[in-house]
Amino acid sequence: MPQQLPLDDLTLALARINDLLLTEEKVDRAVQLLAEGIRDAFPGSSGAGVSLLDEKGTRTSTGATDPVVLEADSAQYELGQGPCLTAWASERTVLIDDVFTDDRWPLWSQAVRDLSIRSVISSPLMAGRRCLGALKIYSSQPGAFDTSTSRPLEKLVVPAATLLDNIQSSDSPLRFTRVLTSALDSRDTINRAQGFLMRLHGLDQGEALKKLVELSRTSRQSLLSVSREILNGTKNLSDDGT
């Protein structure tokens, strides 16, 4: 019979995810920690997985506690069917009492028949009205999960989905900031190289930029690489062929 999930384990699982907001870890790490927290929290679990999906049902991030979970998850996305995809699409918890007798996803059931998976529970990760993906718990024993498992699992996925959504949202500006910083650094390097050529050859701004472009073309390097070499004194300024 399924066992009730201790509240202390629920708190621990959420705390591990919540801590990611403070440490600004990446989404992939958050998903992996959530999968590990679920596996440790639910008695009877032989493994757990978490998948974030886009609007087409394509995986954007995956966390799995062991290779069996990863293999079972991969089969779902390759075949386009299975409890995780159904939980995501229907936005409802899905229970499989016994993979050997359940006929809802025949291709997937056949694909995992030789794996140590007999029962499954999968719940959607709902952040407000948006479904981010789904998490699932596998057991090597039939009948390991029922409504006494689904209730605490559904209580867990709501704050977990909100936290994951926040991490995704905070990670995007961080990535954008890195790209913007890199672009500004590149522009500054190119401008300084342009100024160097203006002083060295008595060129105006347009002529210096044209020379940079010619050097980039003839040496088959990016403008940034050429500019760095000019400023480092390692660029042969006759590389333009003139």
Side-chain angles (χ1 to χ4, degrees):
M1 281 292 294
Q3 303 176 43
Q4 291 289 345
L5 177 66
L7 290 179
D8 287 347
D9 285 337
L10 265 176
T11 303
L12 176 61
L14 287 175
R16 295 176 72 187
I17 305 305
N18 189 50
D19 186 54
L20 295 172
L21 294 176
L22 302 178
T23 60
E24 294 185 342
E25 293 193 52
K26 293 182 179 179
V27 175
D28 287 348
R29 180 60 177 153
V31 172
Q32 184 63 38
L33 282 178
L34 180 56
E36 293 171 0
I38 293 169
R39 175 201 59 195
D40 296 341
F42 284 82
S45 167
S46 59
V50 179
S51 298
L52 299 186
L53 307 167
D54 63 18
E55 65 279 359
K56 296 180 181 179
T58 304
R59 279 183 298 178
T60 61
S61 184
T62 300
T65 60
D66 57 72
V68 170
V69 173
L70 191 59
E71 188 173 347
D73 283 356
S74 296
Q76 293 196 63
Y77 306 112
E78 291 171 5
L79 298 170
Q81 63 173 241
C84 176
L85 288 179
T86 299
W88 168 77
S90 66
E91 300 181 357
R92 293 179 180 276
T93 296
V94 173
L95 275 165
I96 300 179
D97 190 59
D98 191 344
V99 171
F100 287 6
T101 59
D102 194 291
D103 60 1
R104 285 174 288 180
W105 310 281
L107 295 177
W108 181 79
S109 295
Q110 183 63 35
V112 302
R113 197 171 183 83
D114 293 332
L115 301 178
S116 55
I117 295 174
R118 291 295 298 273
S119 54
V120 184
I121 183 169
S122 182
S123 285
L125 286 161
M126 299 298 301
R129 295 183 178 180
R130 195 160 63 93
C131 188
L132 305 180
L135 55 81
K136 77 287 300 186
I137 311 173
Y138 296 128
S139 175
S140 59
Q141 301 297 320
F145 311 117
D146 61 13
T147 54
S148 68
T149 310
S150 63
R151 283 193 294 269
L153 183 62
E154 288 165 355
K155 289 180 181 179
L156 170 63
V157 295
V158 173
T162 301
L163 290 170
L164 286 173
D165 192 35
N166 287 336
I167 293 172
Q168 280 187 305
S169 299
S170 64
D171 193 47
S172 295
L174 285 173
R175 288 196 300 269
F176 176 76
T177 299
R178 294 188 194 105
V179 171
L180 180 60
T181 300
S182 177
L184 291 175
D185 288 344
S186 299
R187 187 182 68 177
D188 180 63
T189 300
I190 293 170
N191 284 341
R192 287 190 291 118
Q194 190 176 347
F196 177 84
L197 292 177
M198 291 170 66
R199 293 191 299 273
L200 181 66
H201 298 293
L203 305 174
D204 62 26
Q205 189 173 11
E207 290 171 333
L209 180 58
K210 181 179 178 181
K211 188 170 183 65
L212 273 179
V213 172
E214 289 174 350
L215 287 169
S216 172
R217 176 177 53 79
T218 57
S219 63
R220 296 183 178 180
Q221 294 176 279
S222 67
L223 273 178
L224 180 59
S225 295
V226 168
S227 298
R228 283 174 176 163
E229 290 186 3
I230 289 173
L231 295 175
N232 292 335
T234 59
K235 183 65 179 173
N236 182 355
L237 296 181
S238 66
D239 285 352
D240 60 350
T242 61

